[in-house]
Amino acid sequence: MHTSMLFTVWFLLCVPGSVHLVRGQNQIGATTQPDEAEALNSIFAAWKIRAAKDWNTSGDPCSGVAIDDNISIDDQDYNPLIKCNCGFQNSTICRITALKVFEIDVVGPIPPQLWTLTFLINLNLGQNYITGSLSPAVGNLTRMEWLTFGINALSGPFPKEIGLLTNLKSLGIGVNNFSGSIPAEIGNCTKLLNIYADNSGLSGEIPLSFANLVLLEEVKILGTSLSGPIPSSFSNLISLRELSIGDIPNGGSLEFIKDMKSLSILVLRNSNLTGTIPSNIAEYSSLQQVDLSFNKLSGPIPDSIFNLKKLTHLFLGNNTLNGSLPTQKSQTLINVDVSYNDLSGSLPSWVSLPHLKLNLVANNFTLESLDKRGLPGLKCLQKNFPCNRGKGIYSDFFINCGGPQIRSVTGKVFERENEDLGSASSTVSYYQRWAVSSVGRFAGKSNNMWVSNSMDSELFQSARHSSSSLRYYGLGLENGGYTVTLQFAEIDIIGSNSWRGLGTRRFNIYVQ
C-alpha cells in the first residue's frame, strides 16, 4: 500500500516656514498652554521628529493647520500632526486635543511627558517601533476617546488603569508584545465601540466585564494566547457588527451569538467550539463573512446559511459536520470551504459555477461525472485519497510553493505551484503526483501569493500564504522512511527598528 504524505503549514522643535494665516477657532493672541508646549517639545525631541512646516507656523504649536477646522487629525497629508482647542480662558489659551505620530518609524519608549497632555481626545501612535511598557499613567488621559498603539513593540502588562478612560470609544493595541491578561477594568469603558487586539501577546481568560461593553460594534482578538471559554455574557453585545475571536483552546458553544443579529463578520476560528450551527442562521441577514473552521461543530449545515443574500465567504472546514450540500446557494456566495468534514451525497449543480472558489477536500461525496463539472482531481482528495493507492510509484517530489517551475542548482526540478487558489480551493498536479489545498482570507484579501524582488534564491522570489491552512499531499508514494525538507525564507517582514519588521509567523507543521 502506498504512503500518503500531508504537510500543514498552518514635537516640539521650532522650524521656520512660510506664514499661513488661519482663522479657525483660534483668536488673535491665543497661545498653547506653556506646560503642554514644553511637553510636546520634549516628546518630539526624544523621538527625533519635527513639526511639519504647515503647522507651528508662528513658533507656537497651536498654529497653522493645528487650528484649521478644515484639517482633521486623520488627514494623510499631515504627519506628525496635532490639533488644538483654543477656547480656554476667554480664548487666550490653546490645549492640545489630538496627536498623530503615525507610520514614521519612531524608535524608543513613550516619553513620560505624553501622559501630561490630559486634554487629549485622540492619540494615534500606530505603526512605529515604540518599545518599553505602557505606563499606568495612561490613566491620566481621562478625556481620551480614540487611542491607538497598534503595530509597535510595546511589552509588559497591559495596565489596568485603562479602566479610568471612561470616555474611550476605540482602542487599538494589536501587534505588540504585551504579557498577562486583559484587565477586568476594561469593563469600565462602557462607551467603547471598537477593540483591536490581534497578535497583542495577551493571554488568560476573557474578562467577564466585557459584558458591560454593550455599545461594542467591532471586536478583533485573533492570534493571541487567550483561554476560554468565551463568556456566555457575550450575549449582551447585541450591537456587534464584527466579532473576530480565535485560537482559544476551549471556546464553548455558539449559544452566546443568539441575539447578535447585526453581525456582518463572524470569525470564531480554531476555538474548540462544540455543538451545532444555529438553525435560525437565516435571521442573521447582514452576514457577509462567516469563519467557523477548525472547531468541533457537528450536525448538518443549515441550508439557509448558503442562501444569505449578503454572504460572500463561508469557511466551515475542519469540523465534524455531516449531511449533504444544499441544492441552491445565493449568487453572492462565491467562496466556500467545507473541507475536512463528514459530508456525503451527490454534489449540487452550483459547484461548477464560474468564479466560484470551493474547497471540498476530505469528505465522502459521491463524485460521478465530476470532471465534467469543472472539478478535476477532486476524486483524488476525498477521505480515502484513492489516486495511485497501492501503486507506490513515487519516492520524491519537489514543489515551488506559489511560484513557477524552476531547476535548482542541485539539478532538482521544483514543479510550479502558482494557481490562483483564492480563499478556498484545491488542485491536483497534472500527473496526480501531488496536490495542494488552501483555505483562508489573508488580511481581508483574496490574493494569496507574495512576489518579492529579493536577491535570494529563485525559490524565494514568491510564496504561498494562507491565514488558515495550507496543505500539500504526496499521492502514490512508496512505503518506507522519508526525509522531509521544508525551506522557509522571510520575504515580507523585513528590517529592524521599523514597524515593517514587526510581527511573527505563527504556524504548526504536521507531517503524516
Side-chain angles (χ1 to χ4, degrees):
M1 186 172 176
H2 83 306
T3 299
S4 292
M5 187 172 293
L6 163 64
F7 306 110
T8 303
V9 178
W10 291 57
F11 345 47
L12 168 74
L13 300 179
C14 294
V15 180
S18 60
V19 175
H20 173 74
L21 183 61
V22 176
R23 293 268 201 267
Q25 56 179 308
N26 197 0
Q27 305 295 319
I28 296 174
T31 57
T32 309
Q33 201 276 342
D35 291 339
E36 292 193 1
E38 182 179 355
L40 188 66
N41 185 29
S42 298
I43 293 166
F44 276 37
W47 281 342
K48 298 180 175 60
I49 55 178
R50 60 197 323 181
K53 64 181 181 180
D54 294 309
W55 65 279
N56 188 32
T57 57
S58 67
D60 187 86
C62 292
S63 58
V65 296
I67 55 170
D68 188 339
D69 290 338
N70 296 315
I71 304 297
S72 77
I73 191 65
D74 298 317
D75 194 308
Q76 296 181 2
D77 293 332
Y78 304 95
N79 184 32
L81 179 63
I82 65 168
K83 298 297 291 184
C84 302
N85 181 343
C86 296
F88 296 91
Q89 297 184 24
N90 296 319
S91 299
T92 62
I93 293 295
C94 303
R95 294 282 191 169
I96 299 171
T97 58
L99 169 61
K100 178 178 68 176
V101 180
F102 175 73
E103 197 184 344
I104 54 178
D105 281 338
V106 161
V107 177
I110 297 175
Q113 292 86 352
L114 178 63
W115 314 123
T116 68
L117 300 179
T118 58
F119 283 76
L120 280 175
I121 294 173
N122 189 318
L123 176 61
N124 183 353
L125 303 181
Q127 294 183 220
N128 288 290
Y129 200 83
I130 298 174
T131 57
S133 62
L134 184 57
S135 171
V138 69
N140 295 344
L141 308 183
T142 56
R143 295 175 175 85
M144 186 63 65
E145 296 181 9
W146 312 96
L147 184 60
T148 303
F149 298 107
I151 313 184
N152 276 287
L154 290 167
S155 58
F158 189 72
K160 68 181 188 310
E161 286 76 11
I162 196 70
L164 299 174
L165 309 189
T166 56
N167 292 302
L168 197 61
K169 296 179 180 178
S170 182
L171 175 63
I173 58 172
V175 191
N176 275 288
N177 300 313
F178 292 114
S179 58
S181 59
I182 301 173
E185 287 79 3
I186 199 168
N188 298 331
C189 304
T190 56
K191 295 181 181 179
L192 267 172
L193 302 175
N194 310 310
I195 295 177
Y196 308 109
D198 291 355
N199 301 292
S200 58
L202 294 171
S203 59
E205 296 184 353
I206 300 173
L208 296 176
S209 59
F210 253 75
N212 302 336
L213 309 179
V214 296
L215 299 181
L216 275 175
E217 297 178 357
E218 288 186 76
V219 174
K220 295 183 179 180
I221 313 178
L222 296 167
T224 66
S225 299
L226 292 177
S227 58
I230 298 172
S232 59
S233 56
F234 257 51
S235 60
N236 293 352
L237 310 182
I238 60 175
S239 298
L240 280 172
R241 292 184 289 104
E242 175 172 354
L243 176 60
S244 296
I245 297 179
D247 310 303
I248 295 176
N250 53 333
S253 74
L254 287 171
E255 177 66 19
F256 70 90
I257 71 168
K258 62 182 179 181
D259 295 318
M260 297 182 182
K261 303 297 174 61
S262 298
L263 282 170
S264 59
I265 297 177
L266 175 62
V267 178
L268 296 170
R269 182 177 63 237
N270 191 31
S271 295
N272 267 326
L273 293 171
T274 58
T276 60
I277 299 173
S279 58
N280 67 335
I281 197 71
E283 298 175 16
Y284 298 70
S285 57
S286 297
L287 280 172
Q288 300 174 25
Q289 177 182 339
V290 173
D291 187 347
L292 300 176
S293 59
F294 291 91
N295 285 295
K296 295 179 179 178
L297 298 174
S298 58
I301 304 173
D303 289 1
S304 56
I305 199 171
F306 285 86
N307 291 289
L308 290 169
K309 300 303 182 184
K310 296 182 180 179
L311 191 65
T312 60
H313 292 75
L314 178 61
F315 302 109
L316 300 176
N318 291 267
N319 282 285
T320 56
L321 300 168
N322 55 37
S324 59
L325 293 178
T327 57
Q328 295 181 325
K329 74 165 189 68
S330 71
Q331 293 182 347
T332 58
L333 183 55
I334 56 174
N335 301 272
V336 179
D337 166 43
V338 292
S339 60
Y340 286 86
N341 278 289
D342 295 323
L343 300 172
S344 58
S346 299
L347 294 176
S349 59
W350 55 259
V351 301
S352 60
L353 289 173
H355 311 300
L356 177 66
K357 292 299 182 182
L358 182 64
N359 197 318
L360 304 172
V361 168
N363 281 286
N364 299 302
F365 291 117
T366 303
L367 302 177
E368 297 94 343
S369 304
L370 182 63
D371 290 350
K372 295 179 180 179
R373 295 196 173 185
L375 294 171
L378 181 59
K379 63 184 179 182
C380 293
L381 299 178
Q382 288 302 282
K383 279 204 166 176
N384 59 349
F385 292 91
C387 292
N388 298 329
R389 178 171 285 276
K391 295 182 180 179
I393 54 179
Y394 301 118
S395 61
D396 59 23
F397 61 93
F398 306 93
I399 305 171
N400 184 17
C401 306
Q405 178 171 302
I406 65 169
R407 184 181 295 273
S408 71
V409 293
T410 60
K412 296 182 176 66
V413 175
F414 285 76
E415 295 184 57
R416 77 175 184 90
E417 191 276 285
N418 55 2
E419 298 284 342
D420 177 16
L421 298 180
S423 298
S425 194
S426 63
T427 188
V428 177
S429 65
Y430 181 79
Y431 294 107
Q432 298 185 349
R433 183 168 180 168
W434 56 268
V436 59
S437 167
S438 179
V439 173
R441 194 177 186 209
F442 184 82
K445 300 176 182 178
S446 295
N447 180 19
N448 59 1
M449 285 188 290
W450 277 310
V451 177
S452 169
N453 293 320
S454 70
M455 299 301 292
D456 296 323
S457 162
E458 289 182 75
L459 280 173
F460 303 116
Q461 298 300 308
S462 59
R464 174 80 68 187
H465 63 78
S466 172
S467 62
S468 186
S469 75
L470 179 61
R471 290 178 163 102
Y472 290 92
Y473 311 84
L475 305 173
L477 290 171
E478 297 175 354
N479 287 329
Y482 283 84
T483 298
V484 180
T485 302
L486 303 176
Q487 302 183 61
F488 298 95
E490 182 56 67
I491 64 175
D492 187 64
I493 301 176
I494 55 177
S496 59
N497 289 346
S498 167
W499 70 269
R500 294 172 181 82
L502 294 169
T504 56
R505 301 290 179 203
R506 295 177 54 141
F507 56 91
N508 296 321
I509 299 174
Y510 294 94
V511 181
Q512 63 185 54

